[in-house]
Amino acid sequence: MTDVPSPQFLGQPSAAPSHPDAARLDPVPNPHPDALYLTRFVVPEFTSLCPVTGQPDFAHLVIDYAPEAHLVESKSLKLLMTSYRNHGAFHEDCTVDIAKRIVAAIAPRWLRISGYWYPRGGIPIDVVYQTGPPPSALYVPETGVPPYRGRG
Amino acid sequence: MTDVPSPQFLGQPSAAPSHPDAARLDPVPNPHPDALYLTRFVVPEFTSLCPVTGQPDFAHLVIDYAPEAHLVESKSLKLLMTSYRNHGAFHEDCTVDIAKRIVAAIAPRWLRISGYWYPRGGIPIDVVYQTGPPPSALYVPETGVPPYRGRG
Amino acid sequence: MTDVPSPQFLGQPSAAPSHPDAARLDPVPNPHPDALYLTRFVVPEFTSLCPVTGQPDFAHLVIDYAPEAHLVESKSLKLLMTSYRNHGAFHEDCTVDIAKRIVAAIAPRWLRISGYWYPRGGIPIDVVYQTGPPPSALYVPETGVPPYRGRG
Amino acid sequence: MTDVPSPQFLGQPSAAPSHPDAARLDPVPNPHPDALYLTRFVVPEFTSLCPVTGQPDFAHLVIDYAPEAHLVESKSLKLLMTSYRNHGAFHEDCTVDIAKRIVAAIAPRWLRISGYWYPRGGIPIDVVYQTGPPPSALYVPETGVPPYRGRG
Amino acid sequence: MTDVPSPQFLGQPSAAPSHPDAARLDPVPNPHPDALYLTRFVVPEFTSLCPVTGQPDFAHLVIDYAPEAHLVESKSLKLLMTSYRNHGAFHEDCTVDIAKRIVAAIAPRWLRISGYWYPRGGIPIDVVYQTGPPPSALYVPETGVPPYRGRG
Amino acid sequence: MTDVPSPQFLGQPSAAPSHPDAARLDPVPNPHPDALYLTRFVVPEFTSLCPVTGQPDFAHLVIDYAPEAHLVESKSLKLLMTSYRNHGAFHEDCTVDIAKRIVAAIAPRWLRISGYWYPRGGIPIDVVYQTGPPPSALYVPETGVPPYRGRG
Amino acid sequence: MTDVPSPQFLGQPSAAPSHPDAARLDPVPNPHPDALYLTRFVVPEFTSLCPVTGQPDFAHLVIDYAPEAHLVESKSLKLLMTSYRNHGAFHEDCTVDIAKRIVAAIAPRWLRISGYWYPRGGIPIDVVYQTGPPPSALYVPETGVPPYRGRG
Amino acid sequence: MTDVPSPQFLGQPSAAPSHPDAARLDPVPNPHPDALYLTRFVVPEFTSLCPVTGQPDFAHLVIDYAPEAHLVESKSLKLLMTSYRNHGAFHEDCTVDIAKRIVAAIAPRWLRISGYWYPRGGIPIDVVYQTGPPPSALYVPETGVPPYRGRG
Amino acid sequence: MTDVPSPQFLGQPSAAPSHPDAARLDPVPNPHPDALYLTRFVVPEFTSLCPVTGQPDFAHLVIDYAPEAHLVESKSLKLLMTSYRNHGAFHEDCTVDIAKRIVAAIAPRWLRISGYWYPRGGIPIDVVYQTGPPPSALYVPETGVPPYRGRG
Amino acid sequence: MTDVPSPQFLGQPSAAPSHPDAARLDPVPNPHPDALYLTRFVVPEFTSLCPVTGQPDFAHLVIDYAPEAHLVESKSLKLLMTSYRNHGAFHEDCTVDIAKRIVAAIAPRWLRISGYWYPRGGIPIDVVYQTGPPPSALYVPETGVPPYRGRG
Ligand SMILES: [Ca+2]
Ligand SMILES: [Ca+2]
Ligand SMILES: [Ca+2]
Ligand SMILES: [Ca+2]
Ligand SMILES: [Ca+2]
Ligand SMILES: [Ca+2]
Ligand SMILES: [Ca+2]
Ligand SMILES: [Ca+2]
Ligand SMILES: [Ca+2]
Ligand SMILES: [Ca+2]
Ligand SMILES: [Ca+2]
Ligand SMILES: [Ca+2]
Ligand SMILES: [Ca+2]
Ligand SMILES: [Ca+2]
Ligand SMILES: [Ca+2]
Ligand SMILES: [Ca+2]
């Protein structure tokens, strides 16, 4: 345990940022910078507000990336997610914005975000963005989120 | 095949009734009136209109009954279901109404209806009505319809 | 292996009976007549004809019984099932008829049949008959057949 | 569509109440007061805050009740759910509080709430409260929410 | 929330168009025109009529596209879906027609529609059309709709 | 509804052909001959006889094709399926024969058949034939039929 | 770890008994004889021979019991299971025999065995025996073994 | 948030106890002592050692109880679970021990523990203990843990 | 039914071979040698012995091949499977051996075997061998066997 | 059974190594060095400690490799897994470390590790590393581990 990085939020109480601009992602050194590999976060607890009606929206997010020099520390990711709680965001816009935010913070070799939004008016929207085709030597499993089915 | 009943709609083209009042259920003789048994219809193709907004509603219905002297002929049931297509009905009201309609037509020993309505505003409604506790010697399997789960 | 019964069909080629009346169930001695227990057959390969239209019908049957002096030998059950292949039968009638046929052959302590018929006109019919409430000391697991769901 | 009730929120824009005390449930007349039946709401979009840490909590709620003179109008239920968004609530306390709130509003014959809270520290909590045993003639299907399983 | 587009239907009551020709899709500006990404709508509430028999048909639709300059606003999509409610359409024809309609409205970089129609005569039909192979850098998850299985 | 084709069997009673040679597939004009798209039929109700033992065999078939000038009308497909009911056919032979029959009738751009046969002797056989690799611009979803698992 | 029992087989190599008569169950002291509780073994690796044809049979067994003074040590149970590998046994007979064997060895308060046999001739047999109704204060979860479904 | 209890571990770093005797459950006041309700914890991260071989064992635990004057604070439960990490415990003994430990700490109206242990020698063991039959007015959903199935 | 091949084992009693060397696969003529197609056998009833400990091992096998001049007759395959019942075989070795055996018997265009072995020591092993990449025009569906998950 | 290798741990009691450095993988000769094939281990019983908080972490691992001259003997793999039980390891680091360890021991043609870690703070992390793209003639099935979903 000699080369343990020093995350800024992990293991200590942290106030939730009130706005996405107030959140800060915490890059930690990639322990295997020689290796091409995938890291996947699943965030089943994302919520924001509809900019038109002000009503809450909910999404299940899957974030896949191949790190370059840095990883995203997971507690700082959670705080970023929480910062959207009381702010307006359209589904397509918000999903891609989060991707761009992470790219800016850690400059990964590759990144994909998959946002599965809860239905409105009987119709859910899924949004999937990636920075480009995945590197050919990287294995990215299916996200496997079941499709929306209504009832029955 | 000597004692085959003569259903009124089965095996012939039938116009869809334009209103529930115009639909007619077709009772056919119960071939085993001595036996207490369960008949279950599943109707995954039910749709009506919201009486307030005029927008389409959808439901997945399960109808369980123990016949007395008559069965419900299934094509006539389908025509009754179709008759709700362009009429307004609240979820709770409509589900119980259909049950009462079938009871009036065939006077079963027992009947249950389970209506699984598609979500509106992120919240689905299920409505379950039965004419009383099921007869103790009758086996009524779980309907087994999966609960609504949103996404993820 | 001293007390092995001598089934009439098992282990030898048997012509399929052309009509239910030509089929014969083969009772074999219950090896544990002192014990109250459940035997369940599942028949996912049942087919008959619609008496009105002549078109094929299909069903998935589950037959549960508690034997008294005899068991139903399973190959003879299969031959009975096959005998319905080219004969007309309404869903409710046919399901209960099969139950009565088995009761006549082996006089079980208790019997239930659950028939899950494939949909016609978008609506499937399930039929469940039992000879009475199951004996209180008998454990009868749920049949667990998933409900019909249409698509999606 | 002659006897349509007049809900106060359905079909019109409504601001989200900022606090549970500011939310108001909208009772609408039960269209079948003669019938004992079940109404189930599923709320997969519930979120509140942890009173100790201030961090967001999430739950999947199932609310079952048998109406007496009134139903809960579903849009007013949604607004009540939304009012917890920025308030602190322990899992056990909050779940039972919501039940008592609905009981106070519509005095149902019977009510149950099932709260499935997302895991914290690797351990999720489920809370289930009901006003008493369900009436014997009422059918209440299993909620069917899959158990938490971790990974794998 | 400064650059919020102004959808024409979202957040206000809208009468359902009585015919597909009367429906109008509402293109809204793509908030990330620099990014290649996927948007998926799932429509489990589609219904039309059979042009030969006049009977209702039902489908579960999945619509995937990569936007160019515009997105499809989801409420206008819902109104288009509703407009098929009382019009005749063959499965194959209707599915492809909807795709062409969306292409005409927003000229996406790529589009796919997958229509899962409920069974008729025991046989369901699925129809899948796309404007061409998906762009190589676009990730399009499996639709994941379970295959039709009959019963059992 | 002006350009509705005139199918020969749809909407009218049709006797089941007694032999595959007596069945006739009904080609109807492709309403979108400019578009490359997939049509999938699922047939969970296929049955034939074993040519050696005469016992019934059962299969679940999935038929995928990309139409050229004509579609297969689905009722005529159902009648072809029914024609195998009392004829002998080995699994591998029969599955490929059906494919060739459809190719002969409508000359599609591409066709695949997947036959999932029920187990005999504890071992099921699946047979999958296609006319060649699917066109690169065609999307053919997985058939998704669960693998056979025995019990447990 | 002071009161650890001394099982006879656990933790040491043990030759498989060649016949059920040569196997010996190893009773170990019940560590909580004051408590009524359930112990469930699941045996997905049971195989025996058909006494008529000599062909292998396979079963998935679930064994539930409430211990009195002794538990069944699990390695000795495994050796008993293995002893059936090359001996003939009818499904119904064998399943109940195993139950009686365990009852003789540890005299439990209550015992149930559920045998799920792999299909023969397209039809599987399940056998469920219990020594009587379960004690009212004992909780015995459903075995949850999925029903046999054939294909599709 | 006025009546918030003061848990001893929640919200602060806590060292893992090295032995079950060193762990301390933290009772917190029941916020609804007037109400009979269920609290369920699911612990998919339990591990201990085999007292005979010293090898790690794993279990998935479900703990259900109806509180009287106190609840179990969940972080203290987690620390108790962790304290078994390097201690020997037989499956049946350990599962019941944990139940007795919680009963001693909070004296609930009723308690059940369900332990689903990972297979050893191909056979898993489940252990279920409860303090008595559940109170008749309490609803305790099925634990829903899928049965062990081996492979396939 | 004129060109029916004459299998050597199908439809007649056959003694199980006591050793893999004593088993003989029965090649039957490929009825469609002009067509490239897939045949899949699923064998959920495979068992052998561990060469080190002598204890039974179990596997679920999936065998995929594209026939050239001959098919494998399925009853002879079953007899080969049975011949491993009392012989020692390591998982990796045995799985590949079976593949080579079939290749030697029928010289297929391509073959793959997937062996899913039951866990030992908490860890299962899967072994997948193929003779080379599948022919590009052959469609080989996923085997779809669920991954091992332990409990929970 | 002449060419049976002599594993160092299989079939004999082995003390668990107290640290990863003390564990030793046991290479055994590949019985089919001429064949390119896949071996998959699934490890649902992995646990380590968080280097920052000291709290236990859990993971479900899938290890896929194509052997060159040697296989990994599975008991030695289990002992390596156990050696992480009381040592600190970050998710990303630990997962890749295990892969490198196996590569060093057996120099496989190709290797992939997929680590599915249990959620912390509501968010799980998956880590997938492979030594390069899989050889084109190797078939590597999907790992099929279901995605994390929270609740509902
Ligand atoms: Ca933006
Ligand atoms: Ca549906
Ligand atoms: Ca009414
Ligand atoms: Ca969810
Ligand atoms: Ca009759
Ligand atoms: Ca309170
Ligand atoms: Ca696991
Ligand atoms: Ca058209
Ligand atoms: Ca032929
Ligand atoms: Ca199995
Ligand atoms: Ca016996
Ligand atoms: Ca089926
Ligand atoms: Ca103890
Ligand atoms: Ca060998
Ligand atoms: Ca688990
Ligand atoms: Ca390292």
Side-chain angles (χ1 to χ4, degrees), chain D residues 148-149 151-152, chain I residues 148-149 151-152:
Chain D
Y148 180 67
R149 65 177 286 193
R151 302 304 303 279
Chain I
Y148 179 66
R149 63 179 285 194
R151 302 304 304 280

Side-chain angles (χ1 to χ4, degrees), chain C residues 44 60 118, chain E residues 149-152, chain F residues 44 60 118, chain G residues 149-152:
Chain C
H60 184 100
Y118 284 51
Chain E
R149 64 179 287 191
R151 301 305 303 279
Chain F
H60 183 101
Y118 285 52
Chain G
R149 64 179 285 193
R151 303 303 305 279

Side-chain angles (χ1 to χ4, degrees), chain D residues 39-92:
Chain D
T39 294
R40 170 176 287 177
F41 292 113
V42 176
V43 184
E45 304 184 355
F46 185 86
T47 182
S48 57
L49 301 177
C50 173
V52 171
T53 65
Q55 294 192 327
D57 282 322
F58 288 79
H60 183 101
L61 305 179
V62 178
I63 298 168
D64 290 305
Y65 72 98
E68 179 70 71
H70 293 92
L71 297 172
V72 173
E73 191 278 322
S74 71
K75 187 167 179 186
S76 73
L77 181 78
K78 174 158 181 164
L79 292 170
L80 174 63
M81 297 293 102
T82 302
S83 73
Y84 282 85
R85 189 174 182 85
N86 289 313
H87 286 82
F90 279 109
H91 296 0
E92 293 91 342

Side-chain angles (χ1 to χ4, degrees), chain H residues 134-147:
Chain H
S136 62
L138 185 73
Y139 176 61
V140 188
E142 292 289 315
T143 61
V145 174

Side-chain angles (χ1 to χ4, degrees), chain B residues 3 31-32, chain C residues 89-90 92-94 96-97 100:
Chain B
D3 60 344
H32 290 285
Chain C
F90 280 108
E92 292 91 343
D93 190 15
C94 173
V96 179
D97 276 350
K100 289 181 171 173

Side-chain angles (χ1 to χ4, degrees), chain C residues 41-121:
Chain C
F41 292 115
V42 176
V43 185
E45 304 183 355
F46 185 85
T47 181
S48 58
L49 301 177
C50 173
V52 170
T53 65
Q55 294 193 326
D57 281 322
F58 289 78
H60 184 100
L61 304 180
V62 178
I63 299 168
D64 291 306
Y65 74 97
E68 179 69 71
H70 293 92
L71 297 173
V72 174
E73 191 278 321
S74 71
K75 187 167 178 185
S76 74
L77 181 78
K78 173 158 181 165
L79 292 170
L80 174 62
M81 297 293 103
T82 302
S83 75
Y84 282 86
R85 189 174 181 83
N86 289 312
H87 286 81
F90 280 108
H91 296 0
E92 292 91 343
D93 190 15
C94 173
T95 310
V96 179
D97 276 350
I98 290 170
K100 289 181 171 173
R101 180 84 186 250
I102 299 173
V103 167
I106 60 156
R109 298 183 186 187
W110 173 84
L111 181 141
R112 179 194 294 162
I113 189 168
S114 306
Y116 302 89
W117 295 81
Y118 284 51
R120 293 292 167 256

Side-chain angles (χ1 to χ4, degrees), chain I residues 33-59:
Chain I
D34 58 310
L36 174 66
Y37 66 96
L38 180 86
T39 295
R40 169 175 289 177
F41 292 115
V42 176
V43 184
E45 304 184 354
F46 185 86
T47 181
S48 57
L49 300 177
C50 173
V52 170
T53 65
Q55 294 193 324
D57 282 323
F58 288 78

